[in-house]
Amino acid sequence: DQVLWSGETTIKADSDFVVLDIHQLLESDEEIRKTQFFNVLSWAWNKIAEDRTQKVILAVDEAYLLVDPETPQALQFLRNTSKRIRKYEGGLMVITHNMVDFLDPAVQRYGQALIDNPAYKIIMGQGDKEIEALTKLMTLSEKEVQTLAEGKRGEALLVAGDRRIHAKFDVTPFELEMFGSGGGR
C-alpha cells in the first residue's frame, strides 16, 4: 500500500471516463483504509471542483460496500458530495443492491441523506426487508410495493421530485454491445 501513496499520483484524469477500483482497498488494515479513502476521495473531489463549468458525474457502484461504521469517511464523503455537487455542475449516482444498509443506526447520519437528497431515484426490485424499510421511509403505495417485489428485469419505481411512476427501461443495441447481455459479464 505504501507504493500507492509514497509519491506524486500517477492517476491521469485526461479521459472522459475514469474508473477508480477500490476493491482491494476494502480488505486493507483499518488505518491504511482510512488514509487511502481520504486520498482517493480527496482526489475525486478535487477533480469535481477543478472546473465548475465542466459537467461531472461521480458514479459509485456497489456503494453498500462503503457502508462501514468502522470507516465512515467514505459514506460521509458521499453524503457531503450529495449536498454540494450540483453547485459544481455535477451529479452523483449511488448504485447499491441494499438501500437498507444506509439506514443502519450506526451510519444513518450519513446514509439517510443519500436516500433523501437525490432529485431522481430509480429503485429496482428489492427484497422483503428493503421493501419494508422503504415503505416506512417513502410511504409506498400497494402498486409501488408490487413493482419492487416483482423485480422484473428493466422495471423500476422512478421517483422524480414528488412524482412516482412505474418505469420500464429498454436497452438499445449500442448499450447492449457496450455493456453486454449478462449484467456486464
Side-chain angles (χ1 to χ4, degrees), residues 1-6 24-25 27-29 32-33 36:
D1 292 328
Q2 216 176 45
V3 173
L4 290 176
W5 307 112
S6 63
Q24 289 182 328
L25 176 58
E27 306 302 321
S28 299
D29 171 74
I32 291 171
R33 194 170 57 243
Q36 290 190 7

Side-chain angles (χ1 to χ4, degrees), residues 10-20 43 47 50 54:
T10 58
I11 298 174
K12 301 276 188 254
D14 54 2
S15 173
D16 287 340
F17 195 83
V18 177
V19 175
L20 300 174
W43 182 87
K47 288 296 157 196
E50 190 171 70
Q54 182 180 19

Side-chain angles (χ1 to χ4, degrees), residues 167-185:
K168 185 168 190 259
F169 298 91
D170 293 317
V171 179
T172 67
F174 171 76
E175 292 165 331
L176 191 59
E177 181 182 328
M178 183 182 227
F179 295 109
S181 60
R185 291 186 290 275

Side-chain angles (χ1 to χ4, degrees), residues 37-181:
F37 271 154
F38 175 81
N39 288 329
V40 168
L41 299 174
S42 294
W43 182 87
W45 182 256
N46 287 335
K47 288 296 157 196
I48 291 166
E50 190 171 70
D51 179 356
R52 285 188 180 215
T53 64
Q54 182 180 19
K55 293 182 172 139
V56 176
I57 295 176
L58 175 61
V60 181
D61 194 11
E62 306 291 358
Y64 71 92
L65 293 169
L66 301 178
V67 179
D68 182 359
E70 308 266 328
T71 317
Q73 291 84 356
L75 204 53
Q76 182 181 13
F77 169 82
L78 291 178
R79 189 254 342 242
N80 293 346
T81 299
S82 76
K83 293 179 179 233
R84 299 177 62 208
I85 197 163
R86 286 182 295 253
K87 295 174 184 137
Y88 294 83
E89 293 298 322
L92 174 65
M93 292 173 48
V94 177
I95 306 160
T96 187
H97 296 281
N98 302 89
M99 288 176 65
V100 75
D101 291 343
F102 294 86
L103 300 174
D104 183 291
V107 296
Q108 188 170 4
R109 172 180 178 193
Y110 305 120
Q112 182 80 43
L114 296 175
I115 296 170
D116 292 343
N117 283 348
Y120 304 99
K121 300 174 184 118
I122 300 171
I123 307 170
M124 299 183 122
Q126 300 287 308
D128 292 339
K129 187 177 176 185
E130 283 77 19
I131 291 173
E132 184 180 325
L134 287 171
T135 300
K136 288 178 186 173
L137 184 68
M138 301 173 64
T139 318
L140 298 176
S141 71
E142 282 185 41
K143 182 70 175 159
E144 292 166 342
V145 168
Q146 181 182 353
T147 296
L148 297 178
E150 288 176 355
K152 292 181 183 172
R153 184 177 209 123
E155 294 188 20
L157 173 63
L158 172 62
V159 181
D162 61 353
R163 298 200 54 168
R164 299 177 186 187
I165 61 171
H166 180 124
K168 185 168 190 259
F169 298 91
D170 293 317
V171 179
T172 67
F174 171 76
E175 292 165 331
L176 191 59
E177 181 182 328
M178 183 182 227
F179 295 109
S181 60

